[in-house]
């Protein structure tokens, strides 16, 4: 794989810049996925996605403001808010040379980027990062291989923490032991534990009472649901 960019100290930066070596320049680089910071499924990742580009950014492609090789949000907030986060164009570096590809002294390189004062926008989430990291460490320490943990603010309903396992690996999406799916938001058939939730809700809304009896004939066809037991369980409290 590609080696990670090396972070220079100020002394190293000044020393290398002072050498003025032809063809060697130090450029700013933003590491989206630093080591020691597990990627968050809720935030998502960016990747090359030509099919998505063709459907979502047909206009930009036709005007050559984007290329099929551009990276866009592939999942999570990166995908759902891509139009706001992507900005209005790329940042590029130009280096001027003569006809024999020798550098034109005095012109040096030119770093250009869009000067739109509004884009790209920044997004502030409601995630509590220290709590998020503690829950991730707890889940890993207890061997959670597949599943999710979500913590909500009881007063506002805001998502304070959203943890999904297996881990997300944005630099290698199909790496063994990782998973692109956010299990906290993936639809799944509720298990028997959810009976507690529905029973509590029905009791709270006075739609039933503790001793009411139900008939289970194995088929609840209105929603296409079926009991695991052939013919159902008969009369149940």
């Amino acid at each position: 794989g590609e080696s990670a960019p090396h972070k220079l100290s100020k002394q190293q930066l000044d020393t290398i810049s002072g050498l003025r070596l032809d063809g060697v320049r130090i450029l700013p680089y933003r590491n989206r996925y630093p080591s020691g910071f597990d990627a968050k499924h809720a935030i998502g990742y960016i990747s090359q996605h030509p099919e998505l580009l063709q459907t979502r950014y047909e206009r930009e492609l036709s005007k050559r403001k984007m290329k099929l090789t551009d990276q866009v949000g592939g999942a999570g907030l990166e995908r759902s808010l891509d139009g706001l986060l992507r900005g209005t164009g790329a940042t590029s570096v130009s280096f001027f040379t003569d006809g024999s590809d020798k550098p034109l002294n005095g012109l040096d390189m030119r770093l250009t980027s869009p000067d739109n004062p509004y884009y790209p926008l920044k997004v502030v989430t409601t995630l509590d990062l220290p709590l998020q990291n503690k829950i991730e460490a707890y889940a890993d320490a207890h061997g959670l291989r597949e599943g999710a943990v979500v913590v909500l603010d009881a007063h506002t309903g805001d998502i304070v923490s959203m943890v999904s396992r297996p881990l997300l690996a944005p630099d290698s999406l199909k790496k063994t032991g990782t998973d692109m799916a956010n299990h906290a938001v993936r639809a799944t058939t509720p298990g028997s534990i959810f009976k507690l939730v529905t029973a509590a809700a029905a009791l709270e809304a006075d739609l039933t009472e503790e001793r009411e009896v139900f008939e289970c004939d194995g088929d609840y066809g209105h929603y296409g649901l079926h009991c695991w037991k052939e013919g159902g369980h008969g009369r149940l409290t």
Side-chain angles (χ1 to χ4, degrees), residues 58-232:
E58 183 179 2
R59 181 179 177 184
E60 287 83 352
L61 288 170
S62 65
K63 293 186 176 182
R64 297 187 177 181
K65 291 184 177 181
M66 295 184 72
K67 305 184 298 293
L68 285 176
T69 54
D70 286 349
Q71 291 192 328
V72 292
L77 295 177
E78 290 277 19
R79 176 163 178 160
S80 60
L81 301 177
D82 187 69
L84 303 175
L85 296 170
R86 185 176 50 83
T88 57
T91 296
S92 61
V93 177
S94 303
F95 191 74
F96 300 92
T97 61
D98 60 20
S100 58
D101 284 340
K102 293 181 179 179
L104 290 172
N105 295 326
L107 292 181
D108 201 28
M109 67 177 185
R110 184 174 299 168
L111 187 68
T112 57
S113 60
D115 58 357
N116 189 309
Y118 304 107
Y119 291 90
L121 299 181
K122 291 184 178 180
V123 172
V124 178
T125 75
T126 58
L127 294 176
D128 182 325
L129 187 57
L131 179 63
Q132 172 90 11
N133 290 335
K134 286 180 181 179
I135 294 177
E136 288 187 2
Y138 180 87
D140 293 338
H142 287 74
L144 178 64
R145 294 186 178 181
E146 181 176 315
V149 180
V150 179
V151 179
L152 304 180
D153 185 314
H155 297 290
T156 64
D158 290 338
I159 297 174
V160 178
S161 175
M162 180 179 286
V163 175
S164 180
R165 286 295 183 267
L167 276 169
L168 172 65
D171 55 337
S172 182
L173 294 174
K174 296 185 179 180
K175 183 179 178 181
T176 302
T178 68
D179 194 349
M180 292 183 287
N182 183 356
H183 291 276
V185 296
R186 170 175 275 191
T188 185
T189 304
S192 290
I193 190 69
F194 206 75
K195 294 173 185 175
L196 298 174
V197 179
T198 52
L203 288 167
E204 190 176 73
D206 290 328
L207 297 177
T208 185
E209 52 92 20
E210 291 181 32
R211 292 179 175 78
E212 184 172 353
V213 177
F214 299 87
E215 183 70 31
C216 172
D217 60 9
D219 184 25
Y220 197 49
H222 182 68
Y223 294 102
L225 301 177
H226 306 280
C227 183
W228 65 268
K229 185 176 182 181
E230 188 74 28

